[in-house]
Amino acid sequence: MAQQVEWLPTVRTGSFFATASGGIGWGTPAAVGVALGDRDSGIDRPVVGLIGDGSFQYSVQAIWTAARHNLPIVYVVMRNHEYSILKSFAVLEETPGVPGLDLPGLDIASVARGFGCRAVDVETTEDLEREFKAALAADTTTVIVVPTQPQKAML
């Protein structure tokens, strides 16, 4: 929790949304809901969805709705090639060797483009900064795929 406060400080009411628990797959469509609600309320701001590649797969079809409505959403998808949280649950539940938790070879940017989004893969922090700024200026939904290292998810 201390890292979240340091890295993602919540300084305004209505500026940070999360579930109390059980959030696998929640973030992608939640960002759509926030952006649609903002539009309805006359709020003009980008919505940023920070999500892992595994969780993104649960409800990836939500990006079609985002693109269809030209919502100002920037999805930053952290690509570690696995369902880290489910691997941690497998350890907790003492069920080793659960199949399907590795996600090699997914081309998330191509999938996002197929749903109508602007999408890019980045390799460096400079690339991320440049593409994030471009996404904030875009008039549609953008998916930025950032490579990360697998690590044990905290439960």
Side-chain angles (χ1 to χ4, degrees), residues 103-129:
L103 301 172
L106 293 181
D107 188 345
I108 294 170
S110 289
V111 169
R113 282 190 289 275
F115 277 108
C117 296
R118 179 182 173 276
V120 294
D121 288 289
V122 299
E123 293 296 326
T124 67
T125 53
E126 293 80 15
D127 291 344
L128 175 58
E129 180 179 6

Side-chain angles (χ1 to χ4, degrees), residues 19 22-30 51-52 54-60 62:
T19 61
I24 299 175
W26 178 84
T28 306
I51 190 165
S55 187
F56 190 69
Q57 300 310 309
Y58 271 80
S59 49
V60 68

Side-chain angles (χ1 to χ4, degrees), residues 98-155:
V98 174
L101 301 185
D102 292 313
L103 301 172
L106 293 181
D107 188 345
I108 294 170
S110 289
V111 169
R113 282 190 289 275
F115 277 108
C117 296
R118 179 182 173 276
V120 294
D121 288 289
V122 299
E123 293 296 326
T124 67
T125 53
E126 293 80 15
D127 291 344
L128 175 58
E129 180 179 6
R130 183 185 67 253
E131 292 297 342
F132 193 84
K133 286 178 180 177
L136 292 174
D139 61 351
T140 191
T141 303
T142 299
V143 175
I144 302 173
V145 184
V146 180
T148 61
Q149 294 298 315
Q151 61 185 1
K152 184 177 178 183
M154 302 300 291
L155 297 176

Side-chain angles (χ1 to χ4, degrees), residues 81-114:
H81 305 277
E82 66 181 22
Y83 283 114
S84 294
I85 193 70
L86 295 182
K87 283 186 173 186
S88 292
F89 275 120
V91 170
L92 179 71
E93 296 294 326
E94 299 177 7
T95 55
V98 174
L101 301 185
D102 292 313
L103 301 172
L106 293 181
D107 188 345
I108 294 170
S110 289
V111 169
R113 282 190 289 275

